[in-house]
Amino acid sequence: MAIVVNKPLPEFEANATGGLKVSNTSHNGKIMILYFYPKDNTPGCTREACGFRDAMPGFEKLAVPVFGISADKVPAHDRFALKHGLNFPLLADPDHELIEAYGVWVEKSLYGRKYFGV
């Protein structure tokens, strides 16, 4: 997992859960957490999202917004967020613009099969 601190964000605007549009210009100069994950409703991604959900009171106290980002589309994000009571926006990046800009779209290998993913 790559942790990047104080890296300027590439400019972006993305569709998010709940019909929101999120852009980094609306958070310009503020600390924010962007976390990238492979796919909604997979075991590891669900644990990670629920971990952020459970930690949100602390992030809110610090006024630090959290955004989950994957290549899934908004309807899948909406179902995932509703199913697990997620209390932060999930951003849809189906064209991998943010995912690639942050260098998290990488070649992986599973049982000798190579593929690209987060």
Side-chain angles (χ1 to χ4, degrees):
M1 175 200 311
I3 297 176
V4 180
V5 178
N6 293 329
K7 179 182 179 185
L9 295 174
E11 206 165 292
F12 72 86
E13 180 175 274
N15 293 320
T17 48
L20 298 174
K21 270 215 185 280
V22 175
S23 73
N24 64 322
T25 55
S26 64
H27 294 83
N28 205 13
K30 297 177 185 170
I31 294 172
M32 51 194 300
I33 294 174
L34 303 179
Y35 84 90
F36 296 85
Y37 65 100
K39 188 152 183 60
D40 293 337
N41 285 307
T42 58
C45 297
T46 299
R47 280 190 302 277
E48 184 176 35
C50 291
F52 276 106
R53 176 201 63 205
D54 297 346
M56 279 308 294
F59 291 122
E60 288 168 347
K61 187 183 272 189
L62 297 170
V64 175
V66 173
F67 302 96
I69 303 170
S70 84
D72 291 312
K73 294 182 179 172
V74 172
H77 281 339
D78 283 333
R79 289 187 300 274
F80 182 53
L82 181 64
K83 180 178 180 179
H84 297 287
L86 302 183
N87 50 2
F88 56 90
L90 300 176
L91 308 184
D93 189 19
D95 297 326
H96 305 158
E97 290 176 27
L98 279 173
I99 291 168
E100 289 186 34
Y102 277 91
V104 296
W105 187 252
V106 296
E107 186 176 50
K108 298 175 146 196
S109 179
L110 181 64
Y111 303 115
R113 183 179 72 87
K114 293 192 182 297
Y115 64 99
F116 279 86
V118 174

